Amino acid sequence: MSAPNVVGAGRQRVLVFRALPPDQLALLQAVHEVTVADPRQPEQIEAFEAALAQADGLIGSSYPITPALLARAPSLKVISSISVGVDNYPLAELRQRGILLCHTPGVLTETTADTIFSLILATSRRLVELANLVREGHWRRSIGEDLFGRDVHGKTLGLVGFGRIGQALARRAALGFGMPVLYHARRELDLSRQAPELQGRVRHASLEDVLSNADVVALVLPLSDETRGLMGAREFGLMKPGAIFINGARGAIVQEAALLQALDSGHLWGAGLDVFATEPLPLDSPLRAHPRIIALPHIGSATFETRHAMAVLATDNLLQALAGERPEAVYSDVGGGEA
Ligand code: NAP
């Protein structure tokens, strides 16, 4: 691994590839030459490519920065992603070229945990289906067993991934809803030191144990070469009959055809999904209007407060890196140590 490029002070070239709030854009414009060009908009691709060829720094999210794009950015020294997940970036190439990668851990943790917990509640209690029943004028008598939901409190929650968001979910589940929590991660946490409030309520287990003992399984781990397609027919088959599956991480961790099969066979009760292998979800996707799926448009962190906080952290990261300082949140696998 080469050392991260040292970035000198002074006016440099920044490419903003996803809209930033005006206050953060103004901070960048005050010290650097800034081009705003969103490559998802066909009419902006040319400007994006021209700016990329000159850019010292990139800031944005939700667009794959491929090795081919990197090869067309000879001056690039830092990418500041407005996201915590870094699956849109070619980590090996960044490492090789000494390009610093920054992200936004922490500021979106609680909001994303709120979203995922709301998916657990909505799926278990059939909130979307029953609200639609009222909206569409079909509430003509008290509902019967055919429309009953499942309790959430007291059920066992299985978490695959137990980092910032996983632990925030565990606090909601264990402390708020009396749910025992099993988690799988490659390393077992020392709860007494890292999450004392969860001691005695949370247990580390193998993936197989989590899947076969939880009433609700939620994914909260990164997409990586190791986790791509992790949930397939075998894994859904290990889940308890009638269990609920939630994905708040990344779509490609799930083999979607296997999930559909597990739902259609009646093995699983339902699924709540915030993320998909292809986003936006294609109109002809069988996941979109499936009666046992609640599908959200990737809104884990999408509140006014949190999206602004993410933009602030990402802008700070970029300004610090371009000034030759150590940014607040460097992604550890590339930059060597995460703040
Ligand atoms: P984090 O603090 O880095 O936690 C990641 C957890 O996953 C850790 O417990 C880690 O433990 C575990 N993990 C990593 N690789 C694993 C593997 N191969 N097998 C099993 N466990 C593994 O990350 P976070 O901030 O909680 O975020 C988690 C992910 O959520 C992000 O990467 C992102 O993709 C997703 N996310 C989605 C949204 C949304 O809008 N839906 C919003 C924010 C984040 P070990 O290293 O010990 O295995």
Side-chain angles (χ1 to χ4, degrees):
M1 174 182 142
S2 51
N5 292 342
V6 176
V7 185
R11 232 170 150 77
Q12 299 179 61
R13 291 195 174 84
V14 167
L15 168 55
V16 178
F17 64 96
R18 185 174 202 183
L20 271 178
D23 59 341
Q24 299 308 302
L25 185 60
L27 286 176
L28 286 176
Q29 286 166 330
V31 274
H32 297 296
E33 298 301 326
V34 177
T35 303
V36 181
D38 181 346
R40 283 154 297 203
Q41 310 293 334
E43 70 284 2
Q44 294 182 31
I45 288 177
E46 209 174 306
F48 172 83
E49 288 179 352
L52 185 68
Q54 309 250 307
D56 299 295
L58 298 184
I59 181 168
S61 68
S62 311
Y63 189 76
I65 303 297
T66 59
L69 281 180
L70 274 191
R72 285 149 69 188
S75 320
L76 192 63
K77 300 167 188 87
V78 53
I79 300 178
S80 180
S81 187
I82 316 172
S83 66
V84 66
V86 293
D87 43 284
N88 270 328
Y89 307 97
L91 301 184
E93 280 82 358
L94 292 180
R95 202 175 294 123
Q96 203 182 359
R97 286 185 45 186
I99 295 172
L100 207 61
L101 177 63
C102 305
H103 65 153
T104 62
V107 290
L108 45 57
T109 297
E110 298 298 330
T111 298
T112 306
D114 284 349
T115 306
I116 299 172
F117 207 82
S118 68
L119 262 180
I120 295 174
L121 289 168
T123 308
S124 304
R125 298 299 306 273
R126 305 169 71 164
L127 295 185
V128 174
E129 179 186 355
L130 294 173
N132 280 340
L133 177 132
V134 177
R135 181 184 291 262
E136 288 161 11
H138 300 307
W139 186 28
R140 301 204 191 89
R141 64 184 77 85
S142 307
I143 66 155
E145 277 193 3
D146 57 326
L147 291 175
F148 285 177
R150 304 219 163 183
D151 277 342
V152 173
H153 66 270
K155 294 291 177 68
T156 298
L157 175 63
L159 295 172
V160 186
F162 195 61
R164 290 169 289 255
I165 299 170
Q167 290 167 47
L169 267 173
R171 286 194 294 277
R172 283 157 179 72
L175 308 179
F177 285 74
M179 300 172 79
V181 177
L182 294 172
Y183 77 88
H184 172 66
R186 292 165 301 183
R187 285 158 292 199
E188 181 173 359
L189 245 65
D190 175 359
L191 289 177
S192 65
R193 204 169 53 81
Q194 289 166 286
E197 72 282 14
L198 293 175
Q199 264 187 301
R201 303 171 193 271
V202 167
R203 185 166 66 76
H204 180 255
S206 67
L207 178 63
E208 287 72 18
D209 277 350
V210 169
L211 296 175
S212 51
N213 289 300
D215 300 297
V216 178
V217 170
L219 300 191
V220 269
L221 76 172
L223 172 62
S224 66
D225 291 344
E226 215 179 314
T227 65
R228 189 176 297 278
L230 177 78
M231 288 297 298
R234 183 187 85 92
E235 289 70 26
F236 287 119
L238 286 172
M239 286 175 65
K240 280 164 89 167
I244 287 171
F245 176 72
I246 304 290
N247 190 1
R250 287 291 184 265
I253 301 173
V254 174
Q255 297 177 34
E256 291 175 340
L259 172 61
L260 282 166
Q261 167 62 30
L263 290 165
D264 289 339
S265 68
H267 179 61
L268 297 185
W269 159 263
L273 310 174
D274 186 41
V275 287
F276 302 90
T278 304
E279 297 180 5
L281 193 56
L283 282 181
D284 62 358
S285 167
L287 299 164
R288 189 176 61 84
H290 193 285
R292 292 185 177 274
I293 292 178
I294 294 180
L296 298 180
H298 199 149
I299 56 160
S301 62
T303 64
F304 291 111
E305 300 89 336
T306 293
R307 283 289 169 86
H308 192 262
M310 290 165 70
V312 169
L313 177 53
T315 304
D316 283 352
N317 283 335
L318 184 62
L319 286 170
Q320 286 158 353
L322 291 177
E325 295 160 12
R326 173 106 187 135
E328 212 171 313
V330 175
Y331 181 70
S332 56
D333 284 0
V334 177
E338 184 180 305

